[in-house]
């Protein structure tokens, strides 16, 4: 099927090369998920706390006067968790010019190599400085992989299946989270108290797959045209990954987009132009809202939350594992329906479910969990059920779609820098929330759930009023949707002007 003038689909089908390439690239999601999951388990692991955070360990074990909500409140402990994200934030700005100038493949290779070094240092740590330096290296690597992998997936995938392919990043993220939880659960049972070393060092396994696999990844046709201006090579690559000979319509669009990209000498300055206002807003709003759901603190502090409610060490890790499995199942479901129902419907459905469950969890915690003691078994199970529904709702909507939408809406001329802003915003607010969560939990207590619930209500309204539908629209024709939107059309050229600009590029 050829693309028509109204932005229909390109010719092509799903090929084995695309599937294999995207599977290797999406391993970057396993690394991110593993790092999210491993930190939460570690900071509830007694042997790890005793080794690096003895004051927290003493409060948890012996201090009966400290509030349940405050036992894990330690700035040094949160620095261990959040140092990864501030390092990733800084690295994402360096990864943008690398991805733009040298291609997505090189950024993936650099990221995987640095993550390998961070995992080795973390596993060998014998003091807090080595521990945090290892986390910083992991963050630098993630700054590169999180910037390049979603772009790679979007550019390799056929337009009609782009949502499903890009959701693969989030599916692999969930798999990484589950692997981390399982390893933490096994590590805590190792006698001698050194199991935490395995937890930290095992981040090297997916990083090795990604790094080794990156040598064999084909570069995307978009990147080949942008870097080498070799139209024949790009055409041959398109024919290989689409499985058809007739790729001229898609190739022409890629050439047009590359021409526009090369006319831009300063991408960041260009992104600030009025006509790119929708993309600029989305590149910051979507990752901010994704973190404002509170999902990452639920993820990497889930074991701590369950210990706050009175669960034992192993039980808290098992509960976190259950959440991971629920998240994985919902993300797979999202990948199957996202290109049928569309992005907006899933965003709104997920938002409604998250809001309701956050309110219910907050109400139970406020009514039944005081500063001392623990939840009854019945109320603990109820909180766990509502948390599962919350995680399922996020994993159906904001989890995968936060990466899908932001990787598909940017024109080639601003794609790399806009994706860097997207990743940087995500990591910045992950850092802020991670660094402040334990202190917020201590001071706000159960109010923390109402806090995040309020943000969920706001972001659901934002999607309803400001995000147009993007399903089945070719990535190089995405600019047209803003000219048809009630609000954004005042900022961007009309569709007639868009068509004229496309003709002028030819």
């Amino acid at each position: 099927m050829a693309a028509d003038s109204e932005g229909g689909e390109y010719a092509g089908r799903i090929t084995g090369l695309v599937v294999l390439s995207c599977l290797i690239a999406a391993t970057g999601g396993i690394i991110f998920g593993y790092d999210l999951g491993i930190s939460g388990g570690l900071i509830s692991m007694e042997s790890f706390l005793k080794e690096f955070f003895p004051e927290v360990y003493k409060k948890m074990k012996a201090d009966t006067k400290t509030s349940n909500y405050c036992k894990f409140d330690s700035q040094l402990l949160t620095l261990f968790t959040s140092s990864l994200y501030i390092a990733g934030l800084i690295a994402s700005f360096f990864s943008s010019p690398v991805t733009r100038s040298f291609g997505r493949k090189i950024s993936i290779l650099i990221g995987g190599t640095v993550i390998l070094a961070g995992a080795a240092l973390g596993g060998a740590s014998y003091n807090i400085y080595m521990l945090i330096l290892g986390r910083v290296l992991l963050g630098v690597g993630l700054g590169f992989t999180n910037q390049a992998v979603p772009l790679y997936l979007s550019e390799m995938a056929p337009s009609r299946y782009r949502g499903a392919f890009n959701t693969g990043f989030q599916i692999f993220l969930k798999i990484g989270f589950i692997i981390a939880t399982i390893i933490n659960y096994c590590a805590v049972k190792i006698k001698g108290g050194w199991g935490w070393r395995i937890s930290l060092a095992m981040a090297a396994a997916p990083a090795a797959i990604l790094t080794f696999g990156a040598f064999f990844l084909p570069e995307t046709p978009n990147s080949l045209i942008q870097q080498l201006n070799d139209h024949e090579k790009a055409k041959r690559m398109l024919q290989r990954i689409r499985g058809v000979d007739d790729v001229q319509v898609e190739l022409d669009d890629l050439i047009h987009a590359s021409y526009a990209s090369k006319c831009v000498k300063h991408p960041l300055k260009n992104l600030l132009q009025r006509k790119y206002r929708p993309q600029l807003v989305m590149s910051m709003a979507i990752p901010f809202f994704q973190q404002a759901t509170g999902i990452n603190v639920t993820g990497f502090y889930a074991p701590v939350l369950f210990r706050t409610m009175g669960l034992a060490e192993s039980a808290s890790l098992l509960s976190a594992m259950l959440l991971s499995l629920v998240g994985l199942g919902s993300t797979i479901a999202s990948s199957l329906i996202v290109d049928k129902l569309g992005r907006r419907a899933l965003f709104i459905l997920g938002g409604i479910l998250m809001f309701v469950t956050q309110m219910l969890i907050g109400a139970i915690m406020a009514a039944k969990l005081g500063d001392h003691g623990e939840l009854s078994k019945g109320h603990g199970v109820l909180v766990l059920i509502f948390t599962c529904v919350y995680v399922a709702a996020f994993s159906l909507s904001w989890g995968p779609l936060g990466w899908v939408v932001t990787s598909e809406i940017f024109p080639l001329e601003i794609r790399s820098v806009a994706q860097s802003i997207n990743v940087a915003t995500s990591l910045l607010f992950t850092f802020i929330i991670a660094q402040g969560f334990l202190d917020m939990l201590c001071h706000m207590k159960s109010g923390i759930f109402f806090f995040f619930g309020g943000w969920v209500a706001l972001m659901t309204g934002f999607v309803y009023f400001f995000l147009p539908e993007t399903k089945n629209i070719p990535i190089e024709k995405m600019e047209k949707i803003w000219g048809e939107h009630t609000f954004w059309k005042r900022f961007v050229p009309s569709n007639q002007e868009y068509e004229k600009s496309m003709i002028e590029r030819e």
Side-chain angles (χ1 to χ4, degrees), residues 167-187:
T167 304
F169 181 80
Q170 187 73 11
I171 291 174
F172 274 48
L173 189 154
K174 295 295 184 183
I175 292 173
F177 201 101
I178 290 171
I179 293 171
T181 309
I182 293 171
I183 289 176
N184 276 336
Y185 181 74
C186 295

Side-chain angles (χ1 to χ4, degrees), residues 28-48:
I30 292 183
I31 299 170
F32 193 27
Y34 187 88
D35 288 325
L36 284 173
I38 214 69
S39 56
L42 283 172
I43 63 177
S44 71
M45 200 179 291
E46 294 181 7
S47 59
F48 180 75

Side-chain angles (χ1 to χ4, degrees), residues 457-477:
L458 182 63
M459 67 184 70
T460 303
F462 175 85
V463 167
Y464 182 81
F465 289 108
F466 298 110
L467 182 67
E469 184 54 68
T470 60
K471 72 169 183 176
N472 297 335
I473 299 175
I475 193 169
E476 302 304 350
K477 290 182 176 290

